[in-house]
Amino acid sequence: MKSNSNSKAPIGVFDSGVGGLTVAREIMRQLPHENIVYFGDTARVPYGSKSRNSIIRFSGQIIRFLETKSVKAIVIACNTASALALEAVKEETAVPVIGVIVPGARAAVQATENGIIGVAGTEATIRSETYTKVIKEMNPEAVVIGKPCPLFVPLVEEGFAKHKITKEVIDIYLSEMRRTEIDTMILGCTHYPLLRSRIMAYFGEKVHIVNPAYETAMDLKKILNERGIANESGEAASYEFYVSDAAEKFTRLANTILSYDLAATKLVNIEEY
């Protein structure tokens, strides 16, 4: 597959479900002229409890689907897939592919004052220790405390972000981390920014919360400029949304996350790719 040098070609963005919309939302804000094709793998969410081989297979299928849309760059808006599949899928495509982990780790390393960084993520992301590896490459003295929070994704996907049950689940998962000396915490799953205000309230002023979505959008901007494929046409951007299941539910949730009014989401049989 040859890379697409057409500056008007869309950016492909994918995630296991609605979480990646936090990254898409940031791309819309920071790169307002870029067209976007978004894919949410709602039939197979959550990714965090799946094996590495499954995540690599799912990511490969999604990238092949996005290539049919002639995308010029791909953002893996999923920490689990960034941790487990990024290197493997980079070899499958000629378009630049970026994940959310390096931008998030870099922001945390820049923000921390005492070098003690917490990471909340899915089981697969925490088990992979990818954040720890990347952070320690940037600051070998850093101490990284990871905590898997597997129920956060289904709570977000079911629309329970503001429900009182979520407050209890945050306490169950993060009470131990709250007793540590962390001064910075990475929301190491793109669903978690949808719980950000709850998590911030739980930790209070002393902990800086890092949402990798903004940093990822800025990295994307840099890559597009370096390659001379940024869309500078000045035309209004177009956005397309695809899912592997439950399109109406996705549309409903997407409209609570995006400032863009999404009329409909298209269904794709991703197993065909």
Side-chain angles (χ1 to χ4, degrees):
M1 170 77 191
K2 63 181 176 48
S3 64
N4 193 338
S5 58
N6 172 10
S7 66
K8 290 187 187 180
I11 309 292
V13 180
F14 78 87
D15 177 48
S16 61
V18 298
L21 292 172
T22 61
V23 178
R25 177 175 68 187
E26 211 51 65
I27 294 169
M28 290 171 174
R29 282 179 187 155
Q30 308 305 329
L31 290 78
H33 300 303
E34 295 296 345
N35 302 312
I36 296 172
V37 175
Y38 183 94
F39 179 83
D41 198 0
T42 45
R44 303 184 289 202
V45 67
Y47 275 12
S49 53
K50 308 286 193 297
S51 68
R52 177 183 289 267
N53 285 347
S54 292
I55 302 297
I56 290 172
R57 182 170 71 82
F58 298 168
S59 300
Q61 288 175 322
I62 295 164
I63 282 175
R64 288 190 286 279
F65 163 69
L66 291 173
E67 285 180 334
T68 68
K69 301 293 172 188
S70 302
V71 295
K72 63 182 178 183
I74 293 171
V75 178
I76 303 182
C78 170
N79 285 263
T80 303
S82 296
L84 303 183
L86 179 62
E87 295 313 313
V89 296
K90 268 184 176 175
E91 292 167 17
E92 281 190 31
T93 180
V95 302
V97 183
I98 67 167
V100 287
I101 288 182
V102 172
R106 193 174 55 234
V109 168
Q110 287 166 355
T112 184
E113 287 176 17
N114 68 3
I116 306 171
I117 298 169
V119 182
T122 65
E123 289 170 276
T125 298
I126 300 300
R127 201 169 51 238
S128 75
E129 297 196 336
T130 306
Y131 267 109
T132 305
K133 288 197 279 272
V134 173
I135 287 167
K136 284 190 169 293
E137 278 167 17
M138 297 173 182
N139 176 6
E141 304 297 306
V143 175
V144 183
I145 301 167
K147 177 66 186 175
C149 305
L151 284 175
F152 283 3
V153 170
L155 284 169
V156 167
E157 290 282 332
E158 293 304 321
F160 284 151
K162 293 183 167 63
H163 196 284
K164 65 176 187 290
I165 193 172
T166 301
K167 198 174 174 183
E168 290 169 28
V169 174
I170 288 170
D171 183 53
I172 290 164
Y173 285 146
L174 299 177
S175 59
E176 232 172 275
M177 198 183 283
R178 191 163 68 165
R179 290 195 292 271
T180 68
E181 295 295 304
I182 67 160
D183 72 347
T184 303
M185 190 178 91
I186 300 171
L187 300 177
C189 169
T190 51
H191 284 73
Y192 296 4
L194 300 167
L195 306 175
R196 186 170 183 236
S197 57
R198 282 284 177 88
I199 293 170
M200 281 174 79
Y202 184 72
F203 280 97
E205 297 290 303
K206 68 182 198 309
V207 177
H208 177 79
I209 304 290
V210 172
N211 170 10
Y214 170 78
E215 317 298 331
T216 302
M218 299 317 283
D219 273 27
L220 173 65
K221 188 175 192 173
K222 188 168 166 242
I223 286 168
L224 298 179
N225 286 331
E226 281 170 359
R227 293 186 176 232
I229 52 173
N231 187 354
E232 289 165 355
S233 68
E235 295 166 11
S238 71
Y239 306 126
E240 292 175 29
F241 296 86
Y242 298 87
V243 291
S244 49
D245 194 21
E248 285 175 19
K249 180 178 162 189
F250 178 89
T251 303
R252 209 165 49 243
L253 275 169
N255 279 321
T256 67
I257 297 166
L258 300 172
S259 50
Y260 167 81
D261 187 27
L262 173 56
T265 306
K266 300 181 185 110
L267 211 51
V268 173
N269 179 3
I270 200 65
E271 294 287 1
E272 289 177 353
Y273 291 88

